Amino acid sequence: MFEPTAARAALNTYAARVPGERAEDRQVQATDLLVDLLLMFEDDTAHAILAAAERRMTEERPGVTPRFVGV
């Protein structure tokens, strides 16, 4: 389930606290946040998270087909 309020709050907090992020556009901020989140996990876990995200994106937005390299 998409929770826009929580997602926006997380991105806003990230952009406010990480040096240099405020100057970036939202897409770059979101990408950087996703990468930093994935780097917190072991490789196998990060891979599983990306695979699950791909499945959920397809369910939530059937017209969007994300493709993560290596997933």
Side-chain angles (χ1 to χ4, degrees):
M1 178 174 69
F2 175 54
E3 179 48 59
T5 303
R8 280 189 196 98
L11 185 56
N12 289 339
T13 299
Y14 180 82
R17 292 187 180 177
V18 177
E21 285 297 328
R22 261 187 214 163
E24 301 289 355
D25 67 32
R26 295 299 270 180
Q27 182 176 347
V28 172
Q29 292 171 351
T31 300
D32 292 348
L33 173 57
L34 288 172
V35 169
D36 286 353
L37 285 169
L38 290 169
L39 288 172
M40 294 177 5
F41 298 94
E42 296 295 326
D43 292 348
D44 289 345
T45 303
H47 185 272
I49 291 168
L50 283 173
E54 184 176 302
R55 285 190 305 274
R56 290 195 50 206
M57 274 297 297
T58 302
E59 291 169 4
E60 295 278 338
R61 290 196 178 165
V64 175
T65 307
R67 293 288 174 236
F68 300 110
V69 176
V71 178

